[in-house]
Amino acid sequence: MHPIIKLVSQRLALGFLLLFGASALIFGLTEALPGDAAQAVLGQSATPESLANLREEMGLNRPALTRYFEWLGGIVQGDMGTSLTNKLDIAESVSNRLGNTLFLAFWAAIVSVPLAIFLGLVAVRYRNRWPDKLISAVTLTTISIPEFLIGYVLVYFIAVKLGMFSPLAMINDSMSIWQKLNSIALPVIVLTMVVLAHMMRMTRAAILNVMQSAYVETAELKGLSNFKVIWRHAFPNAIAPIVNVVMLNLAYLVVGVVVVEVVFVYPGMGQYLVDHVTKRDVPVVLACGVIFAAIYIGLNMVADIVAILANPRLRHPK
């Protein structure tokens, strides 16, 4: 078997194993929470008889492992089941929410990825000088501040004081693309500030590592400008680690939006997940958790595969 096919197959098998482990962990943690969906629906004043009847109706009186493997069998067949609290089809409810989350993550990536690479190139061009130090200081400061704090500060100063954008990121199908972009401007800024530092610093480190190579020194001895050496010779050979870190941060943009969605009341998967965690709606929590895990594991696998393909020893085996 070709080495690349073998390694890709190993990554895929590991990905499915991790997905199974993630679903089991999410189910176990959800089961460990106090109360259940019946208690959340009926409230603290419910009688034991009414709780027992509702638990039997919801199927909560069956063993936990039985319920988990029944859910797992449905997922394998493409059936996410129905919500315990509102009896709605989970797949239908999730589809719109997932689309909204991907829409937010897409525009955050459109802004953050080119900006991070550009700042990384500028930092290399002026390394150890004031532009490099300023970029590093600002990006490290933003990554050190929690997302919710950045969100609330932006809401207060930009939305409330300046009135530039809406403090609530509410979107629907009747809105035009420009109305949607105006609505999600603040969440996009928050997500960009959160992921920018990591991508920028990894871009800078990857290019500086390549700059120590002999062919880069040869290009410099030929009299090429510093920018041409970085752009034409160093940057193309640093693509693999840069793509790797970009993929990891894209995964975070999709999976890590929960806090941002709650702060801006954005109708995405994160808000949907939080709402149903409070209701102890295990099928919904499992479905959302598995979708998030699948996206994160999938993008990590893409990063691994890109790194494999960028390795000449694997592309051209003896």
Side-chain angles (χ1 to χ4, degrees):
M1 181 182 293
H2 196 280
I4 292 180
I5 297 177
K6 181 179 179 180
L7 287 171
V8 170
S9 301
Q10 290 175 348
R11 294 299 190 279
L12 289 173
L14 180 60
F16 283 114
L17 183 62
L18 288 174
L19 200 56
F20 170 76
S23 68
L25 179 62
I26 294 168
F27 180 82
L29 292 175
T30 308
E31 284 291 310
L33 292 173
D36 56 17
Q39 186 76 62
V41 170
L42 296 178
Q44 296 296 326
S45 59
T47 63
E49 292 79 11
S50 59
L51 278 174
N53 291 334
L54 186 55
R55 283 174 179 145
E56 184 175 358
E57 181 184 338
M58 291 180 170
L60 297 176
N61 56 343
R62 293 175 299 161
L65 283 178
T66 301
R67 288 185 281 117
Y68 172 71
F69 283 109
E70 283 182 0
W71 172 85
L72 189 63
I75 285 290
V76 171
Q77 299 173 16
D79 180 17
M80 293 185 179
T82 57
S83 169
L84 294 177
T85 54
N86 56 25
K87 303 301 181 185
L88 295 177
D89 183 67
I90 296 175
E92 185 177 344
S93 300
V94 162
S95 60
N96 292 331
R97 298 277 189 155
L98 180 59
N100 290 341
T101 292
L102 293 177
F103 179 78
L104 176 60
F106 171 79
W107 286 105
I110 288 293
V111 175
S112 61
V113 173
L115 183 58
I117 293 175
F118 172 74
L119 291 177
L121 291 171
V122 172
V124 172
R125 172 64 179 82
Y126 299 99
R127 61 185 179 275
N128 298 326
R129 293 159 64 181
W130 72 263
D132 180 22
K133 295 178 181 178
L134 178 62
I135 292 171
S136 297
V138 172
T139 52
L140 282 176
T141 300
T142 58
I143 200 175
S144 303
I145 303 174
E147 296 100 308
F148 70 88
L149 181 57
I150 297 176
Y152 288 130
V153 169
L154 292 181
V155 167
Y156 179 75
F157 286 103
I158 296 181
V160 177
K161 290 295 185 181
L162 300 178
M164 293 178 60
F165 300 112
S166 171
L168 301 180
M170 302 298 293
I171 65 172
N172 54 66
D173 295 336
S174 63
M175 298 171 66
S176 67
I177 183 65
W178 299 113
Q179 289 174 322
K180 290 182 178 180
L181 291 178
N182 181 72
S183 183
I184 67 170
L186 291 182
V188 166
I189 293 172
V190 173
L191 289 172
T192 299
M193 294 173 70
V194 169
V195 301
L196 189 63
H198 191 207
M199 288 190 289
M200 185 282 297
R201 292 185 66 81
M202 287 301 297
T203 300
R204 179 184 182 277
I207 296 175
L208 285 177
N209 185 54
V210 174
M211 290 286 287
Q212 300 174 3
S213 303
Y215 60 85
V216 173
E217 293 180 1
T218 303
E220 291 174 340
L221 291 174
K222 288 182 178 179
L224 294 179
S225 67
N226 197 3
F227 181 77
K228 286 185 178 180
V229 170
I230 295 170
W231 180 252
R232 293 184 181 179
H233 298 276
F235 180 68
N237 290 285
I239 285 292
I242 292 173
V243 169
N244 200 302
V245 74
V246 166
M247 285 296 174
L248 292 176
N249 281 277
L250 289 180
Y252 174 81
L253 285 177
V254 178
V255 179
V257 297
V258 176
V259 174
V260 175
E261 288 186 359
V262 172
V263 169
F264 292 97
V265 198
Y266 184 74
M269 283 280 290
Q271 182 73 48
Y272 183 65
L273 173 61
V274 170
D275 289 344
H276 285 80
V277 166
T278 59
K279 299 174 183 177
R280 304 296 185 266
D281 200 329
V282 177
V284 174
V285 174
L286 278 172
C288 293
V290 167
I291 290 171
F292 279 142
I295 293 172
Y296 191 86
I297 292 170
L299 288 174
N300 274 273
M301 282 199 303
V302 171
D304 286 344
I305 292 170
V306 169
I308 291 170
L309 295 176
N311 189 336
R313 289 174 297 180
L314 295 177
R315 292 203 315 269
H316 308 289
K318 295 180 180 179

